[in-house]
Amino acid sequence: MISLRHLSTTFAARGKNPITAVDDVSLEVDRGSIQGIIGFSGAGKSTLLRNINLLERPTTGEVIIDDVDLMKLSAEQLRQARHQIGMIFQGFNLVNNLTVAQNVELSLKFAGVTSTKDRRARVAEALEIVDISDKAAVYPAKLSGGQQQRVAIARALATRPRILLCDEPTSALDPFTTATVLQYLADINRDLGITVVVVTHEMEVIKALTDHVAVMESGRIVERFAADRLHDKTFAPTTSIGRYLVSDGIHLNGRQQSELDQASLDQVSTAELAVGGRV
């Protein structure tokens, strides 16, 4: 369904050498699967996710969706192709002066659905999928974080996409709400057959939701494995960052020593700051 081939994305940095946020990454995502991408802040995972729909255009490489290279499309062709790629953002990105239904409908207007009747029917359909139909006339400020994220999911589903990209979809949510949102994503994948790519720094999200895992560090994918291996107590990732992410160390407040050397951590932090946190 998704084939990323030798992608690299480089950003200019003021007074410094350019920063390579994604460095020669290749990744295949099967149709109907849930692909997890995990790594520390600054690893390049969000940039890689935005490369898939060209919100961040790669400097080099190929982005192939269903045998079509998005990098070769015209602006109008790319706009049409993006209607099949829904996206859920970390910060919800709802329009505060629009109701829940109007926020969801906005995506359909951008997608060129001109019939008001069709738009309203698809809004109702999307809201029902995430069980938030009763909030259709409510404004975002009156919603909890979990409800806002469900509206964001409904907005992404309204265009009936084949692919759903999720950028840290649960990082602003409490554990109970996180479990609820993950269940909706799992149901969407199972019931609608939508291919899902989820970026996160939370290993519990990876364990609960994904089929396959790619571990990123310093712009590269350094390790891949099937997610079900995480439930095997004898499983040990081959890289130090993979072992650290799988361990309980990531949940502690600095009291446990990481296997990662300080130079590696410094490199990640420098990359993140240089591009204003976009990676």
Side-chain angles (χ1 to χ4, degrees):
M1 185 63 169
I2 303 171
S3 182
L4 309 179
R5 301 178 184 175
H6 300 290
L7 287 191
S8 292
T9 304
T10 301
F11 296 108
R14 292 181 182 177
K16 300 179 180 179
N17 293 328
I19 298 297
T20 300
V22 174
D23 188 3
D24 193 25
V25 166
S26 294
L27 180 67
E28 303 286 331
V29 180
D30 294 337
R31 187 183 308 277
S33 67
I34 304 180
Q35 173 70 53
I37 301 174
I38 192 167
F40 291 131
S41 179
K45 55 191 187 297
S46 289
T47 300
L48 180 62
L49 189 77
R50 292 164 186 259
N51 284 164
I52 295 174
N53 59 4
L54 269 57
L55 282 183
E56 291 284 3
R57 194 175 187 91
T59 308
T60 59
E62 298 176 313
V63 179
I64 299 173
I65 308 293
D66 256 352
D67 298 323
V68 176
D69 188 351
L70 299 191
M71 296 282 283
K72 295 180 179 179
L73 298 183
S74 67
E76 176 58 25
Q77 289 171 327
L78 177 58
R79 189 179 73 83
Q80 293 297 326
R82 281 178 173 152
H83 296 160
Q84 297 300 310
I85 308 174
M87 188 158 187
I88 302 170
F89 299 90
Q90 178 179 350
F92 314 140
N93 287 347
L94 302 181
V95 181
N96 289 329
N97 63 344
L98 297 181
T99 66
V100 164
Q102 289 169 337
N103 266 280
V104 176
E105 186 179 9
L106 193 61
S107 66
L108 295 169
K109 290 181 178 180
F110 288 145
V113 180
T114 57
S115 168
T116 301
K117 182 180 178 180
D118 287 348
R119 289 201 305 265
R120 289 177 178 173
R122 288 168 69 169
V123 167
E125 175 187 87
L127 292 178
E128 186 176 353
I129 289 173
V130 293
D131 296 324
I132 203 166
S133 300
D134 60 324
K135 303 294 184 183
V138 175
Y139 289 90
K142 299 294 185 180
L143 302 177
S144 68
Q147 289 171 332
Q148 290 188 54
Q149 190 62 293
R150 283 155 64 189
V151 176
I153 295 172
R155 179 183 57 194
L157 293 177
T159 58
R160 297 173 181 165
R162 294 175 296 160
I163 296 170
L164 188 60
L165 307 179
C166 308
D167 190 2
E168 300 277 9
T170 62
S171 63
L173 306 177
D174 61 75
F176 178 80
T177 309
T178 290
T180 302
V181 169
L182 293 181
Q183 186 62 61
Y184 283 119
L185 293 176
D187 291 345
I188 288 164
N189 168 257
R190 183 192 66 238
D191 298 340
L192 303 179
I194 295 176
T195 304
V196 179
V197 182
V198 57
V199 156
T200 183
H201 61 272
E202 301 170 284
M203 185 55 75
E204 292 307 313
V205 172
I206 293 293
K207 290 179 180 178
L209 185 64
T210 66
D211 299 312
H212 307 282
V213 186
V215 180
M216 287 196 73
E217 181 181 20
S218 300
R220 290 179 172 270
I221 291 179
V222 296
E223 186 167 8
R224 302 174 191 168
F225 48 83
D228 58 9
R229 298 189 69 190
L230 293 168
H231 301 287
D232 180 357
K233 293 183 179 180
T234 64
F235 171 61
T238 59
T239 63
S240 60
I241 189 170
R243 289 191 294 273
Y244 183 76
L245 288 167
V246 169
S247 76
D248 289 334
I250 196 169
H251 301 295
L252 302 181
N253 59 2
R255 291 176 295 171
Q256 182 169 317
Q257 287 290 326
S258 166
E259 294 182 72
L260 298 175
D261 59 84
Q262 190 59 47
S264 177
L265 292 175
D266 288 344
Q267 183 179 6
V268 169
S269 299
T270 301
E272 181 185 22
L273 290 173
V275 296
R278 285 195 294 172
V279 294

